[in-house]
Amino acid sequence: MLYVIGLGLSDERDITVKGLEAVRSSERVYLESYTSILMVDKQRLEDFYGKEVTIAYRETVESCSDEILKDADKINVSFLVVGDPYGATTHTDLVIRARELGVPVKTIHNASIMNAIGATGLQLYAFGQTISMVFFTDSWRPDSFYDRVKENSAIGLHTLCLLDIKVREQSLENMIRNRLIYEPPRYMTVNEAVEQLLEIEEKRQENAYTKDTLAVGVSRVGSDDQIIRAGTLEQLLTVDFGKPLHSLVIVGHRLHLLEAEVLRENAVDLEGLNRILLRDYNIDK
């Protein structure tokens, strides 16, 4: 059996009982490490699971899936994914390859940022399309996400922005020279995401949002030290959200009274937020 197991969002204890039983029944355990990260190191997982854990980098999963699936028709193999296996990033290719090899597959789900973002107080059914934001470079500043935000905004829905992480990435020079030297990990912050959003709005000028648009920045959702802060995009530029991982929500105009109340609890500037709620949403305190 190939088990594809969601680990949840925070630490080694977030795995489900069913997931833990599957891990302990497996002869090999892999941890996918390139789409997200847990807030604890591999040793903590190994101590809790009682199993050795092998880090599965992008190239391992995408190019060497047969190594992961070796003998999985005879033994149990666990493939661990931060969050939910079919949350922000799917691993369909590995599942399809397993089935082609006649390996039974069982998925064990867990919390993902896609549902845990409800901790902001914003109602999940009021979210539209989720976007992913990548780090800009000097020569590559993609704005394809903008159209999705604009579509969500047009019908008043919130937009969840998933922020880029760079793990085990090579510089262009090292790639060209085929040198296996990797850059230090990078994790996009809420502040960097807002800077990029405002840059693209300045470029496009189609009013999908402005610097005065309400937004909610979050970090380390699901952990004991999670941060949730609500304010305008401009206000969030200077909020310190601390360690990764960060996410951002652009608030839609169909805001419920209960959603507004939770925004108040997490406001960067309560008086300013109340003025915006009254002016833009007709919600009085």
Side-chain angles (χ1 to χ4, degrees), residues 176-193:
I176 292 171
R177 296 178 180 274
N178 199 30
R179 296 186 299 208
L180 294 180
I181 300 173
Y182 300 100
E183 300 295 295
R186 296 174 61 204
Y187 306 97
M188 184 181 288
T189 64
V190 167
N191 322 91
E192 290 169 319

Side-chain angles (χ1 to χ4, degrees), residues 60-126:
T60 306
V61 179
E62 294 181 350
S63 304
C64 306
S65 60
D66 285 357
E67 177 183 326
I68 295 173
L69 297 172
K70 182 181 178 182
D71 297 327
D73 56 337
K74 305 179 184 70
I75 62 172
N76 289 340
V77 175
S78 285
F79 183 75
L80 311 180
V81 181
V82 177
D84 184 85
Y86 301 120
T89 304
T90 65
H91 292 281
T92 308
D93 288 348
L94 182 65
V95 171
I96 290 173
R97 181 59 180 149
R99 288 173 177 157
E100 288 174 348
L101 295 173
V103 174
V105 178
K106 183 171 184 178
T107 301
I108 300 175
H109 295 281
N110 209 320
S112 163
I113 190 61
M114 302 291 283
N115 58 1
I117 199 64
T120 59
L122 299 174
Q123 296 168 354
L124 292 180
Y125 59 73

Side-chain angles (χ1 to χ4, degrees), residues 3 5 39 53 57 80 119-120 125 150 167 186 229 252 266:
Y3 288 105
I5 302 170
M39 300 172 202
V53 175
Y57 299 109
L80 311 180
T120 59
Y125 59 73
K150 187 178 177 183
V167 179
R186 296 174 61 204
R229 302 292 279 162
N266 297 307

